[in-house]
Amino acid sequence: MTTMQPTGATAGVAKIVARMRALDAALPPRDGVAVFNRVYLQVTEEVGRQIGAGGFRNADAAAELDVRFALRYLSAVDAGTVGLRPPACWRPLFQLRCHPGVKPLQFALAGINAHIGHDLALALVDTCHALECEPAALEADFDRVGRVLTGLEERVRERLMPGPDLLDIADPLTHLAGSWSLEAARDGAWAAARVLWSVRGLPDVGEEFAQRLDAGVGLVGQMLLTPLRGC
C-alpha cells in the first residue's frame, strides 16, 4: 500500500485517507458501505498523489474541494453509525448494505451515484464560498477529478462485473450497470452546482433545490440496489 506523504496542500487529503483506511479495516469486506469505501479510497489516494505531483492547476483549491467532497460521505457514515438519518441519496446504500441479493457492483455504483450526483455539487459550492471564487475558476480541476473518477469506474466495472460467460445482454445486472453513467452524473453535478451558486442569494430556493436533488439521487440509488436473487 502506498503511503501519502502529507505536505502542503495534501495534508488535509492525507487525513481523509487515514479515516477511510480505518473504516475499511473496521467493516466486513462484503458490507455494501465497505465495497464503496474501497473504491472511494482508491480515488482519494490517486487525487492526493496528483495534487502532490502538481497535476492540478490550483493544488490548494483542488485539495479544498477533495476534502469537502469526502467529508460529505464521511458525515453520512457517521450519521448512520449513531442512528441518525443520512441524506436521502445515501439511505438506500445504508439500508441495503447487507442484503444478500445485492451484488458488489451495485453497492459500488450506488455509492458513486450518491456521492457524485448529490455530494459533489454541494461540495463544489462549499469550496467556492470558502475560496470566494466562482465555479468557473474551479472547472479545470473539477474536470481533472472527474477524469480520475471515470478511469476508476471502468476498473470497478471490470473487477466487480461477472465474466461474459456468466452474463448476457438480458441479464438484470448487465441492464442495471448499463443504465447508469458516471459521466452523466458528473455533468449533472456541475450543472447543479452552477444553479445552487446562482441562487445563493435566495436561501429558500437553494435549500429546496438541494432537497429535490438529494431525493432524486436517492431514487436512482434505490433502483441501482434492486436485489437480484439468483443472478
Side-chain angles (χ1 to χ4, degrees):
M1 178 183 296
T2 301
T3 300
M4 181 190 304
Q5 297 300 319
T7 58
T10 64
V13 181
K15 292 179 181 179
I16 293 296
V17 166
R19 287 192 63 185
M20 289 183 186
R21 287 177 178 167
L23 188 60
D24 182 55
L27 291 174
R30 184 60 176 76
D31 179 281
V33 176
V35 173
F36 168 72
N37 188 76
R38 287 193 294 273
V39 171
Y40 191 31
L41 174 57
Q42 293 179 52
V43 171
T44 308
E45 289 173 334
E46 178 60 26
V47 170
R49 282 191 290 269
Q50 293 196 21
I51 290 173
F56 287 87
R57 178 174 296 180
N58 185 326
D60 290 330
E64 182 80 16
L65 174 59
D66 191 57
V67 169
R68 289 180 178 274
F69 185 32
L71 285 175
R72 286 193 168 271
Y73 156 63
L74 292 171
S75 294
V77 172
D78 290 343
T81 299
V82 299
L84 299 177
R85 282 168 65 84
C89 61
W90 286 105
R91 286 175 209 157
L93 179 60
F94 283 29
Q95 291 165 353
L96 295 169
R97 60 195 295 176
C98 297
H99 198 297
V102 179
K103 307 303 179 186
L105 178 61
Q106 293 175 263
F107 288 134
L109 292 181
I112 296 171
N113 169 69
H115 204 37
I116 302 298
H118 173 263
D119 293 354
L120 183 54
L122 273 63
L124 181 60
V125 171
D126 290 344
T127 302
C128 289
H129 280 298
L131 300 179
E132 299 182 346
C133 68
E134 297 285 328
L138 302 177
E139 187 172 7
D141 289 334
F142 178 93
D143 288 342
R144 182 64 180 263
V145 172
R147 289 194 291 273
V148 173
L149 289 165
T150 300
L152 184 64
E153 185 210 14
E154 293 171 355
R155 295 197 297 274
V156 166
R157 288 177 183 269
E158 291 172 358
R159 188 174 71 249
L160 297 182
M161 194 77 171
D165 55 322
L166 300 178
L167 296 179
D168 58 38
I169 195 170
D171 185 275
L173 184 57
T174 303
H175 175 75
L176 277 178
S179 298
W180 187 84
S181 163
L182 187 148
E183 184 175 356
R186 189 188 67 191
D187 289 347
W190 176 255
R194 292 184 62 200
V195 170
L196 286 167
W197 185 254
S198 70
V199 299
R200 62 192 181 280
L202 302 169
D204 290 344
V205 175
E207 179 63 24
E208 180 178 357
F209 181 85
Q211 290 177 358
R212 300 290 184 182
L213 177 66
D214 187 22
V217 173
L219 180 60
V220 173
Q222 189 74 41
M223 290 186 287
L224 285 170
L225 292 170
T226 301
L228 303 175
R229 294 186 181 277
C231 295

